[in-house]
Amino acid sequence: MAAGRLAAEKTFWKMLYESAARADEVLCLNVEDLYPQDKRGRITAKGGAIEWIHWQSGTVQLLPRLIARRTRGPLFLTDRKAPAGTPTLDVCSETGRARLSYRRAEEIFEENTRLLANPLASPEDIEDLNGWTLHRLRHSALTHDAEGGTSTPMLLARSRHASVRSLERYARPGVDAVARHVAERDPAARRKR
């Protein structure tokens, strides 16, 4: 993968994780939707509502290289010129390249995470392995927030879920997080400090 393409992918993956946003919402971002100084972007959510996603310093550091001198148009682009018939809103007027599709973004992420998803596998077997899905970045971000003690109202706001029931599948702390939680609240351990 070319260095420029890899930088764009890393920016996309970092933004997905840091924002805990849905991949399709992030792929629909345009350069003019970004407010980098505020670490946020304006998205159109499910149902057409205008909402905000927020990210952290990792995304902020990567965005300038991705945007370069562009002032408008799709944020995440393909490597090639847009084919004839591509909707105008999905073409960067400055580069002529098309907006990156969910299908292609998912393929790239899956290919690049095959060895991470299969740590005991040999690199020679990479073609036979399955990697992770883009949704895993959202799931991981919300799970890590829950493990870190983020409140349910904040998890709801961050994930932009309407109900706690929708959030339940994400906010499932792992075995190690539960062990840390119990250990931190152990009265005997507190007396030793």
Side-chain angles (χ1 to χ4, degrees):
M1 185 181 293
R5 180 78 254 152
L6 186 58
E9 297 307 329
K10 284 183 177 181
T11 306
F12 178 57
W13 303 334
K14 179 69 80 172
M15 183 181 280
L16 281 180
Y17 178 78
E18 288 186 352
S19 69
R22 294 172 183 91
D24 56 341
E25 294 169 338
V26 171
L27 287 168
C28 287
L29 277 171
N30 289 325
V31 174
E32 61 269 27
D33 297 327
L34 304 179
Y35 295 79
Q37 67 282 5
D38 298 326
K39 298 180 183 174
R40 65 175 149 182
R42 183 183 58 231
I43 59 156
T44 303
K46 283 183 175 179
I50 301 298
E51 295 182 1
W52 295 90
I53 60 170
H54 304 269
W55 51 78
Q56 297 167 327
S57 299
T59 298
V60 170
Q61 292 172 354
L62 295 170
L63 279 173
R65 183 171 177 191
L66 176 69
I67 296 169
R69 291 184 267 300
R70 296 184 297 135
T71 58
R72 57 186 321 93
L75 178 60
F76 295 101
L77 301 169
T78 61
D79 289 335
R80 300 182 185 134
K81 296 286 183 188
T86 303
T88 307
L89 291 174
D90 290 332
V91 178
C92 175
S93 60
E94 297 173 34
T95 65
R97 293 164 42 206
R99 183 182 306 276
L100 182 64
S101 71
Y102 185 97
R103 182 194 56 76
R104 182 64 186 135
E106 180 92 302
E107 285 174 359
I108 293 167
F109 188 65
E110 190 275 334
E111 288 170 8
N112 281 277
T113 58
R114 288 176 181 171
L115 289 177
L116 291 171
N118 302 280
L120 301 178
S122 168
E124 294 83 41
D125 299 327
I126 197 163
E127 293 301 320
D128 300 323
L129 302 174
N130 290 318
W132 292 328
T133 65
L134 289 172
H135 187 72
R136 181 162 179 143
L137 291 169
R138 175 174 166 84
H139 183 99
S140 295
L142 294 170
T143 298
H144 294 155
D145 280 355
E147 289 178 347
T150 301
S151 69
T152 300
M154 184 57 71
L155 287 171
L156 281 169
R158 186 156 152 68
S159 67
R160 291 170 292 103
H161 280 109
S163 72
V164 174
R165 183 167 216 119
S166 299
L167 184 63
E168 283 177 349
R169 70 179 193 199
Y170 298 101
R172 294 212 171 166
V175 173
D176 293 339
V178 173
R180 268 192 315 277
H181 172 80
V182 172
E184 289 167 0
R185 284 151 185 80
D186 183 341
R190 283 187 281 179
R191 282 192 293 270
K192 289 179 183 178
R193 286 185 222 152

